[in-house]
Amino acid sequence: MADGGTPEPAPLAAWDRVKLARHPQRPHALDYLRELTTNFVELHGDRVFGDDHALIGGLAAFDGCTVMVLAHQKGGNTKENIDRNFGMARPEGYRKAERLLRHAEKFRFPVIALIDTPGADVGVGSEERGQATAIAESLLTMADLRVPSIAVVIGEGGSGGALAIGVADRMLMLENAIYSVASPEASAAILWRDAARAPEAAATMRITAPDLLGFGVIDEIVPEPEPAHERPRATIQATGAAIARHLRELLAAYPLDDPAAVDRLREARYRRYRRLGVWRDEADQALRVGSAAS
Amino acid sequence: MADGGTPEPAPLAAWDRVKLARHPQRPHALDYLRELTTNFVELHGDRVFGDDHALIGGLAAFDGCTVMVLAHQKGGNTKENIDRNFGMARPEGYRKAERLLRHAEKFRFPVIALIDTPGADVGVGSEERGQATAIAESLLTMADLRVPSIAVVIGEGGSGGALAIGVADRMLMLENAIYSVASPEASAAILWRDAARAPEAAATMRITAPDLLGFGVIDEIVPEPEPAHERPRATIQATGAAIARHLRELLAAYPLDDPAAVDRLREARYRRYRRLGVWRDEADQALRVGSAAS
Amino acid sequence: MREFFQRRGKFRPQPLDESGELQIPEDLWVKCPKCDEVIYSRELERNNRVCPKCSHHLRLRARARIALLSDPDSFTEWDRGIATEDPLEFVDGGGPYTDKLARTRAKSGEGEALVIGEAMLEGRPLVLAVSEFEFLGASMGSVFGEKLVRAIERAAERRLPLVTVSASGGARMHEGIFSLMQMAKTVAALARLGRAGAPHIALLTDPCYGGVSASYATVADIIMAEPGAIVGFAGPRVIEQVTRQKLPEGFQTAEFLLEHGAIDLVVRRDDLRATLTTLLDHYQRNAPPRPVEPLAAPVAVGERADG
Amino acid sequence: MREFFQRRGKFRPQPLDESGELQIPEDLWVKCPKCDEVIYSRELERNNRVCPKCSHHLRLRARARIALLSDPDSFTEWDRGIATEDPLEFVDGGGPYTDKLARTRAKSGEGEALVIGEAMLEGRPLVLAVSEFEFLGASMGSVFGEKLVRAIERAAERRLPLVTVSASGGARMHEGIFSLMQMAKTVAALARLGRAGAPHIALLTDPCYGGVSASYATVADIIMAEPGAIVGFAGPRVIEQVTRQKLPEGFQTAEFLLEHGAIDLVVRRDDLRATLTTLLDHYQRNAPPRPVEPLAAPVAVGERADG
Ligand SMILES: [Zn+2]
Ligand SMILES: [Zn+2]
């Protein structure tokens, strides 16, 4: 399978991208918000149990309108990372996301989600409070959202914990971001029972932005002529410009004050996800047991 | 103020009613469900934190249709009462109620609520998990419900913990049930700093069914010619007949398959609560400081 | 639901003169209940009753709060003339409710425990509903509920943002079941405000309990609280009595609520105007134009239950 | 997400013969993994693979589950002909994915990890989607997702109740990001089912994790689980590795989930038909009449992403 028409003259190896996506100096969500938005008001809490610091959200002015922002937030150092749980959200985080998504629907704020997480939190407490259900309900709310949404993978897009805020009308990805069904280390542990073979797993799993563009999973790559941590402002500005362009397109196609646009928007979003996957339709026949995939 | 046209030849003192409302042999919610409904399927959990045993809910067939039942459940003995927390719901209970109310809206099940609680649970955990918010959100969901609802105070109607499932299109009350802003004991402690004066507080606070009918807070009293615990089946049957009558009226006025009925139903419910209260409208004038009440 | 505030520090009433202005005796010194600093009262008022030494937020009366949250002379009060009745013919250890009401009116300078009206904040229109803790602990009875509902209905009609500021001991015992019903009535009105597309921004201030914290005050699009404000369902004394448990440090403070996910923001009094202005702009930026304001807002006259 | 089931007891595959019937060797004895009782396999099958001694619910294969949940000969299977591709050209320590698929098909007697179709249960119509744990741990890849979405769409079109039965290790690694996307795709379809007014009843069976437990399986109107079924987001081994914590007794069992509010009901396999029938009646009793069934259900043909 080809990658599709990606402009990628000298492609980096997947593992190089993994290292860039995780680079500690890579700009994180709040860096984007500071640079691209004004009047950010962070809104806290799930109204049920707690406030998750790994998944933040709030209202901000962006490109002339107010948007609801949801974002995984990693720390810039160890202390911050402990507070942010390394960007791994707990059920409270996904429930906060869901609450803010409903808020966005009520007041017709478009949603912008910045994805940057190794994955959802793993732990006894997260299981007790329904991590699986919290993610599933966030998926449902995003899938059925009455306002336009744009998600951007700015760093790591780790599994269901990333997808939970990543069901959107437009899906962008930075050139050195990754997005995968499982982390390279977890993949290597499963595939070869050896986490040290993560670089090999990273290549096998096809987790880079050019891969995902080729697969039709993302709509656009935000280029990083130099890695984001080397030129953070330029990268953030380029990301902001791409988001603004897509947002304007969406608002033109689905005006916020047109109630009829809601059904069309949902239908288009459904079609976007409905087609994802690769399969072969054969005549509905008796199963040929043991037949190869051909 | 008069009690209004209540048929009450030999009224019991308020405190006698309190004792009857709390009588350990008085039928509790599950006794009503067993007698009046078929195919009850209890639905558990708030999908967030826990399953509250003091506030139960589920689907049941009643009078030819399926209804969503919500009910406080007291125990019949000490062991049961510990499991049921004496009918005092925690935030999980009110969140389960809210979840089931949304379920009822989605599938157009009328709601029947049986109220029998000393009040909402008081404790550190309940505060930590947002008891006030849980009650408030249940109130909101009931106030705005898209399907008809009937609430019946079958025993104790204690404060906000009772009201949380008691915002309904029809409000019934058993003759020996009570419904109050605070328990007689708490009232006495506040009014005279002496909980032992509860009987006096019970009279002062006007908490009996005839009082509330006179105040326009409830729509009908289900008579108890003999106290419910002495003739439980007869009381339950009379209650069922009253619920069925009101339910039929509501379904005739607001058919479940008529989308236009939703707005009318909500409007009527709003009017029902909008008028509750006693005040005097004077010309909008400069405040007369220290003036007496009339 | 009211008993908890008996354990808290005494509030020093500030009587109003006939013009409704605060009368502050020139020579009054106030002791900060948190750090014990003795503060010259004029300085404290200039600082919006935030202790200059420890930043403790002392209670602010309704009219001072309104002054803080509106542009000068922009506040138009609504429904001052709605008066409290005594449907229970209520008498307790302190005597008849009607007498208590008369004394409270004289002492507090207010007709009831909630002040409502419209105002401008940095030129942005809003509806304000502010509780007055000095009036029977800002307990919610029929008039409180009715005034709040009128404010909500007018906000909905004109799609204006509603800002509620609440301190309250809960439901007003003296009006019995009518007080309980105000919880349902106010929340029901907020459901309609939501459908009208107007935001409800709630500010919880010290202290806020029971019938208020469990009704309109937490059914809000944004819930803010002042630093250190104590907010909960049941009062700490009741919880200690019931559970025979010592309460953890910082229990029921605004910061505790934030950590437990119950509120959106803790906002210092200094930042309140700016935060509110920012939020008002957010809710207006994508919104359709507001309906043209009626020249005179029609007064929605409530029916009376017992008349 | 898949590793956890390596620590669980080996499943004994039961090959299908050409007619699709279960072939059970006459002389097979099975040991109950919970109580170690040795049970004659015919007796175990007659008992729906519930241990007659300790009531442990052994895993049930997809076709046996369908037989349990439908009237005899009422099940019509849909989309057996949809076939798995290898978009990643995936090779791991066990060799190419295509080889693994071929072996799995032969071993399991199934074409993929999900069986869908329509059936009657006590005369009531329903759509069934049942996962087959013997097929790569019922991991969800493109075909699983596509088949489930077709089942959901047809249920929505005809307003039929959808019953999903899930055991799964999670997302299928071999199809990478496509597998992750099935979580969004299936949930999006369920949103439309909900708007069509048809219920989704989910049964979680042992074991159910990750990509399945965190998507369609918990976006259900009713969530049931079988006694003792292990259900969670992350597998126990991963949690122990990450947290270096010993897991509590009963962790992630159906009973644990019930206590923590995550599911509506724990239903014994014996009671499953009756409970389901009761629920189907509830969802039909107040509902408007179903649309008249099309003579032949049109097959919704999905677009292909990369073709
Ligand atoms: Zn101080
Ligand atoms: Zn056994």
Side-chain angles (χ1 to χ4, degrees), chain C:
Chain C
M1 288 199 200
R2 269 176 57 229
E3 57 226 276
F4 74 94
F5 56 81
Q6 291 158 0
R7 76 197 286 266
R8 301 183 58 83
K10 271 276 182 226
F11 189 97
R12 208 178 293 266
Q14 297 154 359
L16 301 187
D17 67 11
E18 271 144 52
S19 68
E21 295 290 304
L22 282 177
Q23 272 185 323
I24 302 163
E26 296 281 330
D27 57 347
L28 194 66
W29 294 84
V30 179
K31 199 181 202 180
C32 170
K34 189 156 176 214
C35 73
D36 284 344
E37 178 82 353
V38 176
I39 315 157
Y40 184 45
S41 70
R42 273 197 187 279
E43 190 195 345
L44 187 62
E45 299 304 326
R46 258 198 311 274
N47 208 28
N48 291 315
R49 298 185 59 80
V50 175
C51 171
K53 190 177 169 206
C54 77
S55 285
H56 178 67
H57 285 51
L58 284 81
R59 291 178 191 159
L60 200 61
R61 294 202 51 183
R63 301 208 178 254
R65 176 73 65 179
I66 289 167
L68 176 66
L69 295 185
S70 56
D71 298 339
D73 299 323
S74 75
F75 180 68
T76 305
E77 188 173 353
W78 292 333
D79 295 298
R80 282 188 79 146
I82 178 171
T84 311
E85 292 271 14
D86 177 20
L88 270 48
E89 296 167 359
F90 187 96
V91 181
D92 69 1
Y97 178 41
T98 48
D99 292 358
K100 185 158 202 167
L101 279 171
R103 289 196 305 273
T104 299
R105 284 185 186 130
K107 193 190 84 170
S108 69
E110 294 292 349
E112 250 293 347
L114 188 79
V115 180
I116 61 169
E118 61 186 315
M120 303 292 265
L121 172 61
E122 306 291 351
R124 293 146 181 91
L126 76 167
V127 172
L128 279 169
V130 181
S131 74
E132 172 54 71
F133 195 74
E134 278 303 281
F135 196 102
L136 297 180
S139 55
M140 180 161 69
S142 291
V143 172
F144 188 124
E146 176 64 18
K147 286 177 87 168
L148 180 55
V149 165
R150 290 186 190 184
I152 297 169
E153 286 179 338
R154 287 173 206 162
E157 201 177 294
R158 290 154 62 188
R159 220 176 44 67
L160 290 177
L162 169 74
V163 175
T164 61
V165 182
S166 305
S168 175
R172 188 172 298 172
M173 300 292 296
H174 317 72
E175 298 179 29
I177 197 75
F178 289 111
S179 298
L180 188 69
M181 291 298 135
Q182 303 313 305
M183 295 173 67
K185 174 171 166 170
T186 55
V187 167
L190 286 173
R192 292 155 71 98
L193 182 75
R195 282 210 292 280
H200 170 209
I201 301 172
L203 176 65
L204 310 180
T205 67
D206 187 63
C208 192
Y209 277 98
V212 165
S213 66
S215 70
Y216 78 88
T218 53
V219 174
D221 298 297
I222 302 278
I223 307 179
M224 309 190 293
E226 289 199 319
I230 305 289
V231 179
F233 177 67
R237 204 177 63 171
V238 174
I239 299 174
E240 281 180 337
Q241 278 171 358
V242 169
T243 64
R244 297 173 196 287
Q245 220 181 322
K246 209 174 145 37
L247 300 179
E249 187 68 29
F251 186 65
Q252 295 187 331
T253 57
E255 295 73 18
F256 171 95
L257 265 68
L258 187 73
E259 186 191 328
H260 285 93
I263 62 174
D264 286 293
L265 295 165
V266 174
V267 184
R268 286 153 28 102
R269 206 170 280 166
D270 286 352
D271 297 331
L272 206 48
R273 281 181 73 96
T275 301
L276 211 44
T277 305
T278 302
L279 284 171
L280 294 182
D281 284 346
H282 280 316
Y283 288 102
Q284 193 52 31
R285 200 171 279 113
N286 307 2
R290 292 207 176 89
V292 177
E293 230 172 290
L295 281 180
V299 175
V301 177
E303 299 165 51
R304 287 176 50 184
D306 66 329

Side-chain angles (χ1 to χ4, degrees), chain D residues 53-281:
Chain D
K53 192 178 170 204
C54 76
S55 285
H56 179 67
H57 285 50
L58 284 80
R59 291 179 191 160
L60 200 59
R61 294 202 50 181
R63 303 214 174 248
R65 176 74 65 181
I66 290 167
L68 176 66
L69 295 185
S70 56
D71 298 339
D73 299 322
S74 74
F75 180 67
T76 304
E77 188 173 353
W78 292 334
D79 295 298
R80 282 188 78 147
I82 178 171
T84 311
E85 292 269 14
D86 179 19
L88 269 51
E89 296 166 1
F90 187 95
V91 181
D92 69 1
Y97 177 42
T98 49
D99 292 357
K100 187 159 202 166
L101 279 172
R103 288 196 306 273
T104 299
R105 284 184 188 131
K107 194 188 83 167
S108 69
E110 294 291 349
E112 249 293 346
L114 188 78
V115 180
I116 61 168
E118 62 185 315
M120 303 292 266
L121 173 61
E122 307 290 350
R124 293 145 179 92
L126 76 167
V127 172
L128 279 169
V130 180
S131 74
E132 172 55 71
F133 195 73
E134 278 303 283
F135 196 103
L136 297 180
S139 54
M140 181 162 67
S142 291
V143 172
F144 188 124
E146 176 65 18
K147 286 178 87 170
L148 181 55
V149 165
R150 291 186 190 183
I152 296 169
E153 286 179 340
R154 287 173 207 162
E157 201 177 293
R158 289 154 63 189
R159 219 176 45 65
L160 290 178
L162 169 74
V163 175
T164 61
V165 182
S166 305
S168 175
R172 188 171 299 171
M173 301 292 295
H174 316 74
E175 297 179 29
I177 198 74
F178 289 110
S179 298
L180 188 68
M181 291 299 136
Q182 303 314 305
M183 295 172 67
K185 174 170 165 170
T186 55
V187 167
L190 287 173
R192 292 155 71 97
L193 182 75
R195 283 210 293 280
H200 170 207
I201 301 172
L203 176 64
L204 310 180
T205 67
D206 187 61
C208 193
Y209 277 98
V212 164
S213 66
S215 71
Y216 77 88
T218 52
V219 174
D221 299 297
I222 302 279
I223 306 180
M224 310 189 292
E226 288 199 319
I230 305 291
V231 179
F233 177 66
R237 204 177 62 172
V238 174
I239 299 174
E240 281 180 338
Q241 277 172 359
V242 169
T243 64
R244 298 173 196 285
Q245 220 181 324
K246 208 172 145 37
L247 302 179
E249 187 69 28
F251 185 65
Q252 294 188 329
T253 57
E255 295 72 19
F256 170 97
L257 265 68
L258 187 73
E259 187 191 328
H260 285 93
I263 61 175
D264 287 293
L265 295 166
V266 175
V267 184
R268 286 153 27 102
R269 208 170 278 167
D270 286 351
D271 296 333
L272 207 48
R273 281 181 73 95
T275 301
L276 212 44
T277 305
T278 302
L279 284 171
L280 295 182
D281 284 346

